Amino acid sequence: MIWLPFVATALFTLSMLQRKQFLRESRLPFSDFFPSLLLLIAGMSLVAAPFDWSVDASRATAPLTILLLVIVSVLGMLWFEHFYRAIREESLSRFDFLAVLDPLVTIAFVSLLFPAERNVHVWAATSVACVALYFGHKNHHAIQFDHGERNLLVGIGLSAVIVAIDRYLLTIYSPLAFNAIYMCGIALLFVLRYGWGSLQAGYRLFLPLTLTAALIVANTILFFYSYRELGVTVTTLVALLQPVAIGFIAYFIYKEPVKPKLLLAGVVVLLAVLYAVLRVSTR
């Protein structure tokens, strides 16, 4: 199962790029397509759920579990909003620079809450990778907390809390079962918040919305399986490869300027990730 976080990260990168392209071209208000997108995600998640549906019935009906499901659904809705606004408002190279904070914050928060997630090799590799990415971008960006960056930073904070709750709930639900419940909860909240959106816009954008939904469902399910099999900290560490990949894609596809030293940073990150994954997988 060592391949799980790598494939999940690759799919997340593809889905993020596809969402960036979609948002850049459509320029629609979020209320016009969010409900349609989340309903597609929920539908696909329900279709996939029977292939691995298992639930610890005694714990699933506990008040704490129900409360956490409600909380994680609300936080998930807020994360989608802030994440999409950040994608629309920030350049890819700017986005991936700030996104380096996401794995670092998540690993720190989850390690604090779950002793089983604490691993000196993961922490060492994370520190080396984050330092490499910081110096790979250091002269390229300065942190200025404009509106787009604030959305991303809020999303990073929400992501850490969401992943910690996911980690607990995945001891009660199988990844496919939890994904279906989680996505249906978020879809319901979006419909309650925005209504059904613009049916005309949803129909006109059916194909790109369907592709976006499929990529989101696939990478989310793989991340959940990786959380359960390898742990959150290892999976999140592998996600540090995403900013490197996005940096190169931003340069080669979107023609955004990227410093050559990003190549060296990418090599360092890859070596750090491989070191941690191999050490943890051979324990």
Side-chain angles (χ1 to χ4, degrees):
M1 291 296 184
I2 195 173
W3 55 270
L4 276 172
F6 292 96
V7 177
T9 298
L11 284 175
F12 181 78
T13 303
L14 286 175
S15 69
M16 206 276 290
L17 292 169
Q18 196 276 334
R19 281 176 271 183
K20 176 71 173 177
Q21 189 69 25
F22 166 74
L23 291 170
R24 176 179 288 179
E25 293 177 352
S26 69
R27 306 305 300 175
L28 285 173
F30 291 102
S31 58
D32 276 4
F33 68 87
F34 258 154
S36 298
L37 174 61
L38 268 298
L39 287 170
L40 282 170
I41 292 173
M44 292 179 186
S45 298
L46 287 172
V47 170
F51 290 96
D52 181 22
W53 181 276
S54 62
V55 177
D56 185 338
S58 60
R59 296 174 64 197
T61 55
L64 176 61
T65 302
I66 296 172
L67 176 62
L68 288 176
L69 284 172
V70 173
I71 291 174
V72 79
S73 296
V74 172
L75 294 179
M77 180 190 72
L78 295 174
W79 179 87
F80 264 99
E81 288 188 340
H82 286 284
F83 183 75
Y84 270 79
R85 294 183 194 279
I87 292 176
R88 171 171 282 178
E89 295 168 9
E90 288 296 326
S91 68
L92 278 176
S93 52
R94 184 70 171 172
F95 181 91
D96 83 277
F97 172 61
L98 289 172
V100 171
L101 294 172
D102 193 358
L104 186 61
V105 173
T106 299
I107 289 172
F109 188 66
V110 172
S111 296
L112 181 67
L113 294 179
F114 300 97
E117 294 284 351
R118 298 168 191 167
N119 186 290
V120 64
H121 301 295
V122 173
W123 266 105
T126 302
S127 300
V128 170
C130 287
V131 169
L133 285 171
Y134 172 76
F135 282 104
H137 292 82
K138 183 179 179 183
N139 297 328
H140 190 59
H141 299 289
I143 297 294
Q144 298 173 351
F145 295 103
D146 60 22
H147 188 260
E149 289 171 345
R150 285 196 295 270
N151 276 314
L152 182 54
L153 291 173
V154 171
I156 288 170
L158 290 171
S159 178
V161 179
I162 290 169
V163 170
I165 298 175
D166 292 346
R167 167 69 166 74
Y168 175 78
L169 291 175
L170 284 168
T171 65
I172 301 172
Y173 302 93
S174 67
L176 289 183
F178 175 59
N179 180 67
I181 296 169
Y182 176 49
M183 292 304 182
C184 286
I186 295 176
L188 176 62
L189 290 172
F190 266 112
V191 170
L192 292 175
R193 179 176 174 83
Y194 290 109
W196 293 99
S198 170
L199 295 179
Q200 182 179 359
Y203 177 78
R204 179 166 55 86
L205 298 171
F206 179 76
L207 288 179
L209 284 176
T210 300
L211 176 59
T212 299
L215 287 170
I216 291 173
V217 171
N219 80 69
T220 302
I221 289 173
L222 287 176
F223 271 125
F224 286 166
Y225 273 105
S226 187
Y227 289 164
R228 193 173 69 170
E229 298 296 328
L230 297 175
V232 169
T233 54
V234 174
T235 301
T236 306
L237 172 62
V238 174
L240 276 171
L241 291 172
Q242 179 205 333
V244 177
I246 290 177
F248 285 107
I249 292 170
Y251 176 75
F252 288 108
I253 296 179
Y254 292 96
K255 308 304 179 184
E256 296 179 5
V258 177
K259 296 292 184 180
K261 61 183 178 180
L262 181 61
L263 175 62
L264 178 60
V267 173
V268 173
V269 171
L270 178 60
L271 292 175
V273 168
L274 290 176
Y275 163 78
V277 171
L278 290 174
R279 288 303 299 262
V280 171
S281 64
T282 55
R283 283 188 302 179

